[in-house]
Amino acid sequence: MWNTTISYQELPAKKGLDVTRYNNTNIGVVALFKLVEGDDMTLALATTHLFWNEDISDLKVQQASYFLETIEHLGSHPVIITGDFNSVPSSAVVELFRTGKLLGTHVDLRGHADQSHFSHSLKLDDVYESMSHPHTIYGQKFSNCVDYIWKTKNLELEAILEPPTGIKTLPDQNWPSDHISIGADLILGQNYQKE
């Protein structure tokens, strides 16, 4: 029905940010899907791969904020957001997704956005929060949760893909990626209203 690639290229100049510091333009993809049978429902599906470098963790926050802003402008559709956020559960990015707001004084912003406040109104739930965020990346020096599935409240969680156990370091002979797969079955909730 509709899709777009979200690029960060023009945003640094618009917001008065240092263009050389924020030169990573890849953010994500968003698509709107309309069911061909049954209710006249539209679903927004978005995926991202945020920048990884912890030395400029403020870039991830700027990317995430712009990503959410773009999704928010699509209207009041049920939304599923997935991806490699390169952000641990205590990070500014996850706080922004979880609470809908973030003060510019968060430590992850490293003093580059002290006057900024980030917010969105999507009211997102973290699909894996009930499992205390299982690790999705297993490295020799770093293991944690950096991959997420977020959903709006008008989607109900039916099942989640259980993470494997006994993993020490990835990739290995059984897992060709340094990330494990995550997944969820979601259904349209009772509180969905057709547009």
Side-chain angles (χ1 to χ4, degrees):
M1 182 175 161
W2 176 89
N3 69 68
T4 188
T5 300
I6 301 172
S7 172
Y8 195 71
Q9 217 160 12
E10 67 282 347
L11 190 69
K14 279 186 189 175
K15 296 210 172 185
L17 302 171
D18 178 357
V19 176
T20 57
R21 181 176 179 79
Y22 299 100
N23 65 356
N24 184 296
T25 60
N26 179 32
I27 296 179
V29 176
V30 180
L32 286 177
F33 295 92
K34 190 171 191 174
L35 293 181
V36 293
E37 295 179 13
D39 287 338
D40 189 25
M41 185 202 69
T42 304
L43 171 74
L45 181 59
T47 190
T48 187
H49 189 177
L50 299 180
F51 196 60
W52 63 271
N53 189 336
E54 284 303 316
D55 291 336
I56 53 174
S57 58
D58 53 302
L59 172 59
K60 287 188 277 193
V61 176
Q62 297 285 354
Q63 287 180 318
S65 178
Y66 189 53
F67 186 57
L68 289 163
E69 181 182 310
T70 302
I71 296 166
E72 204 170 22
H73 283 115
L74 296 176
S76 60
H77 309 284
V79 176
I80 300 170
I81 303 172
T82 68
D84 178 353
F85 290 74
N86 278 312
S87 302
V88 298
S90 61
S91 69
V93 167
V94 173
E95 182 177 328
L96 177 60
F97 272 78
R98 187 181 62 247
T99 67
K101 61 186 177 205
L102 180 70
L103 296 178
T105 55
H106 193 285
V107 67
D108 284 0
L109 290 166
R110 300 180 182 267
H112 290 280
D114 286 339
Q115 303 305 315
S116 299
H117 300 299
F118 303 92
S119 64
H120 68 85
S121 60
L122 293 172
K123 296 181 178 52
L124 298 169
D125 290 330
D126 176 356
V127 168
Y128 277 88
E129 189 168 34
S130 66
M131 294 188 71
S132 300
H133 299 102
H135 290 188
T136 60
I137 188 169
Y138 292 85
Q140 291 181 353
K141 296 180 181 177
F142 176 79
S143 295
N144 211 319
C145 177
V146 297
D147 303 282
Y148 299 87
I149 300 172
W150 299 90
K151 67 173 192 66
T152 49
K153 299 203 182 293
N154 49 11
L155 292 165
E156 293 178 10
L157 178 61
E158 188 168 84
I160 57 175
L161 180 63
E162 294 282 336
T165 58
I167 295 176
K168 302 234 184 297
T169 304
L170 293 177
D172 66 15
Q173 67 276 9
N174 298 314
W175 302 90
S177 174
D178 61 338
H179 295 253
I180 63 163
S181 296
I182 60 174
D185 290 337
L186 302 170
I187 58 174
L188 194 56
Q190 296 290 345
N191 57 351
Y192 172 70
Q193 297 175 352
K194 277 185 7 179
E195 295 180 16

